[in-house]
């Protein structure tokens, strides 16, 4: 058996970042920026008024001073004339401030009669001018790699970048294996169950940036498994579920080996999810997950999601963890890293009572995988403990 960290390191060694593609900005949210985005303009491209008011020279701004209003600047409409000493222009938010003016007095701080304005005794602080390039300048960068959040999209738009270079989404082929399985929506026979793992894993992997597809269910026989692998031939990552233990019907490993799988490892010191295989298979990476529904999902969080992130060019690292205080004590842990279904709320975390790895209802009730390191000592109420949010 190898540790979770060793297994992850070996998995990361199997993949390299995928190529990039240029896509319209409007579709870029949630994608991974592949190359630095570089501003080709200054923002604002001119000194801009931050308020509605009157623009004048700083040296002339004092309570009681009067000015002739000689023109107007509005957003999208610069003032083109001349504005001399003792003169001011009416200006609105977002309008260019003429070069020789350097102060905007807000309209609440003046009184006006006709074209004559007088500054009242309520002058605010500041010039109310946004300097040229105050947000970003030509050459400033939004650094890659990063997952593009709504605020990044707004910045890219402001940089006038209408096409963005992002990492291609990994093509993931998800394969259920088993004679007992039918697809959701079918009518199961008395000895059949519904294939749930592929659906949960697709939801998980798509959410971290993959484009997963669910293959037809492969039966526990060679021709059926070979046909399913054939459909997965072009995938970046092939994930099989089940059929990877030591039972007579667990032939996924044998069939994959005959199809060229160079196996990287097999058993992980982890609960749930001990049987796990991985390796290169043609131009794909193959990951074989256990069939038990909770094990499959936990391995999805612990192994498959970090693998997708690495393929997207993000840091090759464990899924990010949080910390909370135990609401109830826990007994010592054995020689396998344990991912316990748990509920975290407001800084405190409670492990679910039933940790059976076949119970999806328990997994659905949980919002955390509480992590017990190998041979972790018994833990008391209030101890700090790591978890993966799920
Ligand atoms: P296996 O590893 O094939 O022995 O499967 C272990 C357990 O997981 C068995 O009870 C299977 O019926 C179940 N199982 C395997 N694949 C799936 C799947 N795709 N969806 C739900 N349960 C599954
Ligand atoms: Mg099976």
């Amino acid at each position: 058996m190898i540790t979770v960290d060793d297994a992850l390191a070996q998995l990361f060694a199997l993949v390299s970042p995928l190529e990039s593609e240029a896509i319209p900005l409007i579709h870029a949210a949630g994608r991974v920026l592949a190359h630095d985005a570089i501003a080709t303009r200054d923002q604002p491209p001119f000194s801009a008024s931050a308020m509605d008011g009157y623009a004048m020279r700083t040296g002339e701004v004092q309570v009681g001073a009067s000015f002739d209003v000689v023109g107007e600047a509005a957003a999208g409409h610069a003032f083109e004339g001349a504005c001399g000493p003792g003169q001011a222009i009416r200006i609105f938010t977002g309008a260019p401030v003429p070069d020789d003016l350097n102060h905007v007095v807000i309209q609440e701080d003046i009184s006006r009669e006709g074209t004559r304005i007088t500054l009242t005794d309520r002058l605010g602080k500041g010039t109310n001018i946004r300097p040229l390039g105050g947000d970003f300048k030509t050459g400033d960068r939004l650094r890659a790699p990063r997952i593009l959040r709504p605020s990044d999209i707004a910045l890219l738009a402001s940089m006038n970048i209408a096409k963005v270079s992002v990492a291609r989404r990994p093509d993931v082929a998800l394969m259920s294996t088993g004679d007992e399985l039918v697809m959701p929506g079918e009518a199961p026979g008395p000895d059949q169950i519904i294939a749930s793992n592929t659906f949960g894993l697709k939801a998980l992997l798509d959410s971290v940036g993959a484009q997963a597809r669910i293959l037809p269910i492969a039966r526990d026989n060679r021709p059926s498994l070979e046909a399913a692998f054939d459909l997965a031939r072009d995938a970046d990552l092939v994930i099989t579920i089940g059929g990877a233990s030591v039972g007579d019907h667990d032939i996924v490993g044998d069939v994959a080996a005959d199809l060229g799988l160079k196996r990287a490892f097999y058993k992980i010191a982890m609960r749930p999810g001990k049987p796990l295989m991985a390796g290169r298979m043609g131009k794909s990476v193959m990951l074989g997950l256990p069939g038990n529904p909770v094990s499959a999902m936990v391995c999805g969080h612990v192994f498959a999601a970090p693998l997708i992130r690495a393929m997207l060019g993000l840091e090759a690292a464990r899924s990010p963890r949080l910390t909370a205080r135990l609401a109830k004590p826990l007994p010592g842990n054995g020689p396998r890293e344990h991912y316990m279904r748990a509920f975290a709320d407001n800084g405190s975390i409670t492990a679910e009572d039933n940790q059976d790895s076949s119970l999806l209802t328990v997994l659905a009730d949980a919002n955390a995988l509480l992590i017990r390191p190998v041979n972790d000592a018994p833990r008391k109420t209030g101890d700090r403990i790591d978890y993966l949010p799920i």
Side-chain angles (χ1 to χ4, degrees), residues 184-368:
E186 286 181 37
D191 50 2
Q192 290 185 308
I193 63 165
I194 317 299
S196 54
N197 295 340
T198 37
F199 286 80
L201 285 165
K202 175 175 166 56
L204 168 65
L205 300 183
D206 283 356
S207 78
V208 293
Q211 188 137 49
R213 52 191 163 104
I214 296 175
L215 299 174
I217 294 165
R219 302 304 169 192
D220 292 318
N221 63 68
R222 267 178 182 270
S224 181
L225 281 162
E226 283 168 2
F229 275 118
D230 194 49
L231 292 173
R233 199 169 59 227
D234 295 325
D236 300 300
L237 176 62
V238 182
I239 298 183
T240 62
I241 296 146
S245 297
V246 291
D248 292 350
H249 303 283
D250 296 328
I251 58 171
V252 172
D254 290 346
V255 173
D258 291 347
L259 293 173
L261 173 70
K262 308 253 179 315
R263 189 183 289 192
F265 57 86
Y266 186 48
K267 280 185 176 149
I268 318 289
M270 114 179 231
R271 268 202 302 168
K274 184 161 122 196
L276 196 117
M277 67 176 114
R280 279 232 143 251
M281 194 173 170
K283 59 185 205 183
S284 312
V285 171
M286 189 267 196
L287 182 63
L289 299 186
N292 266 323
V294 174
S295 311
M297 288 304 286
V298 170
C299 287
H301 285 285
V302 175
F303 297 112
L307 204 54
I308 297 298
R309 292 192 198 100
M311 290 172 134
L312 289 167
L314 298 169
E315 190 192 2
R318 276 182 175 249
S319 290
R321 298 169 173 208
L322 300 175
T323 302
R325 291 191 185 279
L326 277 179
K328 280 192 204 164
L330 287 172
N333 188 35
R336 289 155 66 189
E337 190 162 300
H338 194 180
Y339 289 80
M340 304 181 80
R341 276 64 77 202
F343 194 80
D345 183 34
N346 214 0
S348 113
I349 189 164
T350 314
E352 306 278 349
D353 291 333
N354 193 336
Q355 294 289 327
D356 186 304
S357 68
S358 66
L359 304 179
L360 283 176
T361 44
V362 175
L363 186 65
D365 272 343
N367 65 0

Side-chain angles (χ1 to χ4, degrees), residues 54-55 66-71 83-90 115-117:
Y54 293 83
S66 292
F67 302 83
D68 282 324
V69 179
V70 296
C83 181
Q87 297 181 329
I89 63 160
R90 179 75 168 119
T115 59
R116 193 90 188 138
I117 57 165

